[in-house]
Amino acid sequence: MTALQKMLFRDLAHMKGQVIAVSMVVACGVASYVSMRSTYRSLLLTQSDYYEAYRFADIFAHVKRAPDALAATIRQIPGVAGLETRITMEVTLDVPGLAEPATGLLVSIPEHRRPILNDLHIRRGEYPQPGRSDEVLASEAFAAANSLDVGSRIGAVINGRWKQLRISGIALSPEYIYEVRGGSILPDNKRFGVLWMPLPTLEAAFDMRGAFNDVALTLPRGTNPADVISKLDQLLAPYGSLGAYGRDEQISNRFISDEIAQNRVSSNVIPAIFLGVAAFLLHIVLTRLIQIQRKEIALLKAFGYSRVAIGAHYLKLSLLAVSGGIVLGVAGGLYFGSSLTQLYQQFYRFPVLRYEAGLGLVLTTVAITFAAAALGALMAVRSAMALPPAEAMRPESPALFNAGVLEHTGIMRLFSFSGRMIIRNLNRRRGKAALSVLGIATAAGLMVVGFYFYDAFEYGIRVEFEVAERADVTIYFHEAKSGGARFEVARLPGVLYAEPFRAVPVRLRFGRRSKRSAILAMKPGSQLRRIINEEMRPVRLPEEGILLTERLARDLGVSAGEALTVEVLEGKRPVRRIVVAGVTDELLGTSAYMSLEAIHRMMQEEGSVSGAWLAVDSAALPRLYSLLKRTPAVSAVAIRDAMLRTFRDIIAQSFTITTNILIVFACIISFGMVYNGARIALSERGNEMASLRVLGFTQGEVARILLGEQALLTAAAIPLGWLLGYGICAFLSLRLSTELYRIPLVVTRQVYLLSALVVIGSAVLSGVLVARRLRRLDLMAVLKTRE
């Protein structure tokens, strides 16, 4: 073993505390990168394979009723490779064990099984038998939420008639990986599910023989979907089409694609922060080590070791310091990645959610980490290579001291002797103090980021379920009803107050841009459904014109005061020019709002309503639910408290796990930064501390001087960390927000307080460990050697 190799292992043993801290920080960065990147890759590959194997459609369209003969004309559209016509209907369900009414989407399938677009994967059970009009396949998410299995029976109101349905099998479809009711973006698997029923049964039940109301198309690779959609809309317009749309607007695909995109962003941003901190920490450790080892470096050069050899020695030291963190991080990342991937199976239903990590990801991770370590050590290595032997043999020049403002003003006399020593030492070492403050501030900032997601989640819940959505129950009609329906709704059992609404599917156009959406019309001053902006302030609904969410206005490129074209996609399909009365910034969706009177004038109708928001006496809820289950006019019922419980149960579980991992990693980094700062300070000033002990200072006084400096640095770093954390939160809020939902930038005082407490706790624990080393300080040995 060469002298440099012996020196390498001796240095590693001597700095074992700092090396462990660096390794833990590296492990956090590596684990976050491996887990997030592998989860992203797994979801992406699983989605792609599933879509291809089960022939997920490229274009979708819904009509009121179209003849089967139209399918041949649609096939002649240039670019159409495959076509599937079907019947889809929403019905009210009576699920055993569920007090509230549920909504079922009935989707037709061939009587005899054959390959179709959006094909089915049967988890268990069997395909409905020909001639059995009561058999259906149930979606797995709906069945699992309601403890339904093969052979279970549920009641349904089908075209005004009560019918008992038997579940013959549990199935999955690429069309419903993320299963939500049309018009909603929040899952409620307990009260909404997809049921696949043989085509002859649905044709007979809804008098749709020889007709269809839903069509799906596939396109060859390289075909422009916009051209096909335009021609398809022309063919379907006479049949009550709501407008064709591509995969990018299909709700299930949008959610999972957004989730995959967010994973890609997270897998780049968060690990980069962790590895950047590790590189910064290595730079500090090695820089200070080289300053301490000036004489050793001079002797090595005097004995003939080249600059390259000495530089390689310190580079090896940095790489060995992170090697343990890489091994631990890769193992932890694979474990967390596998766990997160399996957790996604609760939200996104795939036949097989295959976890894909691969040797390439591990090798890439190792290369990135070693590169970060080398970059962090670069400046220190360069200084070691450049140090002339003669200069290195001399002790480092003492820091210059100039009387500062505190000295000139006399304020320094107010401090104790130990306090003056602390302030003067920090003043002499401004650069090192600044680096220490920056390192601790980074740890504090990461804590802010970790706790921020909790606040954003809770804030979003308050906005949507407590301030905006205030109705106990929302009912939707199969089709728009006359104005008299509002009075009938008000007379339902237990209804204390009812507010009607009108929902109209539209295509909004401004210049060359267009967007499919729906206008939600209500009375100005509505109390059960309010328009709330991101600051949780109510937005006044204008009497005239249209109000757009900020995201929708940006997509269309329109501003308040400008007029856009509204193409109604139902009824007589009028086309109107409507002035944009205002723009608001909601958290969920891309919505458009109008007053009821304004939309009735636009539609030239007399008080039609699509549903109602209800405030209900809780004691009367069972009677109301029982009546709604058997009301043919009602297509769906939404219960606010039930949606909130489901949302918390499903979303919060995934959210809590990932956020807790981030917080634990941030705590490790916080401790690593503070502890390294204290240990490096002890290594640098061991001679000074021993001298003070020889001069008569007690152990407690010496500890207060050393740890007092760290306390001041920590106190200065915490506010800077808050600013840094807020900036990272703002960046993540911007990058992780999607068209369907926005992550609010809300950082509360509690988050700042918690981050400060964690950093202070890390500082106290580090202080205790360093103080123990001070008590074991060998005064004679330290005064003779470098420490």
Side-chain angles (χ1 to χ4, degrees):
M1 184 179 289
T2 65
L4 278 180
Q5 290 174 334
K6 292 179 182 179
M7 183 178 174
L8 176 64
F9 291 109
R10 188 173 65 245
D11 286 339
L12 285 172
H14 174 71
M15 299 190 307
K16 57 181 177 295
Q18 293 100 308
V19 169
I20 291 173
V22 170
S23 294
M24 293 303 295
V25 173
V26 169
C28 292
V30 170
S32 62
Y33 182 79
V34 171
S35 62
M36 292 179 178
R37 201 70 187 178
S38 61
T39 301
Y40 159 72
R41 177 179 172 82
S42 298
L43 284 175
L44 186 64
L45 292 177
T46 300
Q47 180 197 36
S48 176
D49 292 347
Y50 188 24
Y51 282 0
E52 183 175 355
Y54 288 82
R55 296 171 290 281
F56 183 48
D58 296 299
I59 294 177
F60 305 82
H62 190 81
V63 299
K64 192 167 184 179
R65 181 188 178 99
D68 286 342
L70 186 64
T73 307
I74 296 174
R75 282 192 177 92
Q76 295 175 6
I77 296 176
V80 173
L83 177 146
E84 198 78 45
T85 60
R86 56 189 181 177
I87 300 170
T88 62
M89 292 287 182
E90 278 194 354
V91 298
T92 302
L93 302 177
D94 184 7
V95 180
L98 184 64
E100 308 93 355
T103 301
L105 177 64
L106 301 181
V107 180
S108 68
I109 52 177
E111 185 175 18
H112 299 276
R113 190 168 191 188
R114 60 174 175 80
I116 58 174
L117 300 186
N118 307 316
D119 211 346
L120 302 180
H121 172 83
I122 299 180
R123 282 282 202 197
R124 55 188 181 274
E126 61 182 9
Y127 200 79
Q129 294 296 317
R132 294 293 301 269
S133 64
D134 63 334
E135 288 192 343
V136 295
L137 295 171
S139 59
E140 185 180 53
F142 177 65
N146 289 287
S147 301
L148 301 174
D149 209 335
V150 177
S152 298
R153 292 186 176 272
I154 54 178
V157 179
I158 299 179
N159 201 19
R161 291 184 292 272
W162 180 257
K163 187 177 181 66
Q164 278 283 332
L165 302 176
R166 177 185 177 274
I167 297 176
S168 67
I170 308 298
L172 300 174
S173 167
E175 192 176 2
Y176 302 104
I177 295 174
Y178 182 81
E179 194 170 307
V180 293
R181 180 182 174 273
S184 175
I185 62 174
L186 299 177
D188 187 0
N189 298 133
K190 203 172 185 66
R191 294 161 193 85
F192 174 78
V194 182
L195 303 175
W196 290 275
M197 181 178 284
L199 178 62
T201 305
L202 269 181
E203 285 181 328
F206 292 96
D207 192 23
M208 292 283 289
R209 289 185 179 85
F212 65 90
N213 67 357
D214 200 85
V215 62
L217 309 177
T218 55
L219 310 177
R221 292 183 183 275
T223 303
N224 185 1
D227 295 338
V228 178
I229 288 173
S230 176
K231 293 181 174 62
L232 183 61
D233 280 341
Q234 293 175 15
L235 288 176
L236 297 180
Y239 304 99
S241 171
L242 298 180
Y245 55 93
R247 274 190 189 181
D248 58 331
E249 293 188 59
Q250 202 267 343
I251 188 69
S252 172
N253 179 69
R254 284 173 67 184
F255 257 97
I256 189 170
S257 296
D258 286 346
E259 183 70 34
I260 292 172
Q262 287 180 336
N263 277 337
R264 181 173 57 82
V265 172
S266 299
S267 67
N268 290 328
V269 175
I270 294 177
I273 295 173
F274 287 162
L275 292 177
V277 170
F280 176 73
L281 199 54
L282 269 173
H283 172 72
I284 295 176
V285 170
L286 288 179
T287 299
R288 309 249 175 123
L289 176 66
I290 289 169
Q291 291 172 350
I292 292 171
Q293 292 186 343
R294 289 168 59 90
K295 291 183 179 180
E296 286 86 342
I297 293 172
L299 287 172
L300 288 171
K301 289 185 176 181
F303 278 105
Y305 287 93
S306 66
R307 293 182 176 185
V308 173
I310 294 173
H313 162 74
Y314 286 103
L315 186 60
K316 290 177 186 177
L317 181 64
S318 69
L319 298 182
L320 283 176
V322 303
S323 296
I326 291 175
V327 174
L328 183 61
V330 168
L334 292 175
Y335 171 76
F336 288 132
S338 177
S339 300
L340 286 173
T341 301
Q342 293 305 314
L343 187 62
Y344 273 114
Q345 189 70 23
Q346 298 182 27
F347 317 110
Y348 305 113
R349 299 286 171 164
F350 296 98
V352 178
L353 185 47
R354 188 174 67 252
Y355 179 61
E356 293 281 346
L359 180 61
L361 174 62
V362 174
L363 294 178
T364 301
T365 304
V366 172
I368 291 174
T369 308
F370 277 148
L375 183 63
L378 182 61
M379 294 301 295
V381 170
R382 288 180 61 186
S383 65
M385 294 172 62
L387 200 60
E391 180 183 341
M393 289 297 291
R394 295 194 301 269
E396 188 179 2
S397 302
L400 296 176
F401 170 71
N402 295 312
V405 176
L406 297 180
E407 300 280 357
H408 288 303
T409 58
I411 296 177
M412 188 69 80
R413 289 193 292 270
L414 300 176
F415 295 96
S416 65
F417 182 75
S418 298
R420 277 178 268 175
M421 290 184 67
I422 291 171
I423 294 172
R424 285 168 179 165
N425 186 65
L426 291 176
N427 186 49
R428 291 189 189 104
R429 302 170 183 266
R430 297 191 188 107
K432 295 177 181 178
L435 288 176
S436 297
V437 167
L438 181 59
I440 299 171
T442 303
L446 288 174
M447 292 305 305
V448 170
V449 174
F451 289 115
Y452 153 71
F453 287 107
Y454 277 115
D455 273 359
F457 178 74
E458 290 298 328
Y459 184 86
I461 285 179
R462 288 201 306 274
V463 170
E464 293 304 317
F465 291 102
E466 296 178 13
V467 183
E469 297 280 356
R470 306 173 73 189
D472 299 312
V473 178
T474 303
I475 61 174
Y476 303 87
F477 300 134
H478 280 288
E479 55 186 20
K481 299 295 181 182
S482 65
R486 68 182 70 184
F487 302 109
E488 296 177 17
V489 167
R491 290 194 293 268
L492 290 172
V495 173
L496 304 174
Y497 179 59
E499 291 180 348
F501 64 85
R502 180 78 166 95
V504 178
V506 295
R507 185 180 297 278
L508 304 175
R509 295 187 183 276
F510 184 77
R512 294 187 177 182
R513 301 186 185 185
S514 68
K515 196 78 174 176
R516 288 177 70 256
S517 185
I519 297 176
L520 180 61
M522 65 188 82
K523 288 184 176 180
S526 173
Q527 294 302 307
L528 298 182
R529 173 63 168 87
R530 300 193 295 177
I531 304 170
I532 302 296
N533 63 19
E534 195 171 340
E535 286 75 35
M536 215 181 291
R537 296 175 182 171
V539 177
R540 180 182 173 274
L541 181 65
E543 298 282 351
E544 299 292 338
I546 189 170
L547 180 69
L548 304 179
T549 56
E550 189 274 336
R551 180 60 183 261
L552 181 56
R554 187 167 73 247
D555 289 345
L556 291 170
V558 67
S559 304
E562 296 179 310
L564 53 75
T565 301
V566 178
E567 300 177 4
V568 177
L569 300 177
E570 71 171 30
K572 298 178 180 178
R573 307 173 74 91
V575 178
R576 302 281 188 265
R577 293 281 291 175
I578 306 291
V579 174
V580 177
V583 176
T584 185
D585 52 346
E586 286 190 322
L587 293 179
L588 295 181
T590 53
S591 304
Y593 300 97
M594 291 180 69
S595 69
L596 271 174
E597 290 75 11
I599 206 162
H600 289 155
R601 287 194 296 272
M602 183 185 80
M603 298 290 292
Q604 296 180 350
E605 60 187 16
E606 294 293 333
S608 296
V609 295
S610 303
W613 298 296
L614 310 178
V616 183
D617 181 1
S618 59
L621 282 174
R623 283 193 298 137
L624 177 64
Y625 293 155
S626 179
L627 178 62
L628 292 176
K629 285 180 179 181
R630 296 174 181 266
T631 302
V634 175
S635 67
V637 178
I639 296 102
R640 184 188 59 174
D641 289 345
M643 289 180 62
L644 178 56
R645 287 195 303 271
T646 303
F647 186 69
R648 282 190 179 278
D649 291 344
I650 296 177
I651 304 299
Q653 182 180 357
S654 166
F655 185 83
T656 300
I657 292 173
T658 54
T659 304
N660 283 344
I661 292 173
L662 178 60
I663 290 174
V664 169
F665 285 178
C667 289
I668 292 172
I669 289 177
S670 175
F671 175 77
M673 293 299 299
V674 177
Y675 176 74
N676 262 284
R679 282 287 289 114
I680 289 169
L682 177 61
S683 297
E684 286 182 333
R685 304 186 61 199
N687 193 283
E688 295 178 30
M689 299 296 104
S691 299
L692 290 174
R693 291 282 289 116
V694 171
L695 292 174
F697 282 73
T698 66
Q699 285 185 351
E701 289 172 330
V702 172
R704 280 196 296 274
I705 292 172
L706 179 63
L707 299 181
E709 291 183 13
Q710 298 305 309
L712 281 179
L713 294 174
T714 301
I718 287 174
L720 179 61
W722 289 343
L723 291 174
L724 181 63
Y726 185 85
I728 297 174
C729 291
F731 176 78
L732 290 175
S733 174
L734 180 65
R735 291 300 305 273
L736 297 180
S737 293
T738 69
E739 182 177 335
L740 293 175
Y741 57 90
R742 264 73 67 197
I743 298 177
L745 181 58
V746 179
V747 185
T748 63
R749 295 176 183 175
Q750 288 82 356
V751 168
Y752 293 126
L753 178 61
L754 285 171
S755 67
L757 289 176
V758 171
V759 173
I760 291 171
S762 300
V764 171
L765 180 58
S766 301
V768 171
L769 296 175
V770 171
R772 290 176 59 186
R773 296 185 68 89
L774 273 173
R775 286 197 295 271
R776 297 197 301 266
L777 206 61
D778 185 339
L779 303 185
M780 297 305 297
V782 168
L783 290 174
K784 287 179 180 179
T785 65
R786 64 181 184 181
E787 291 190 23

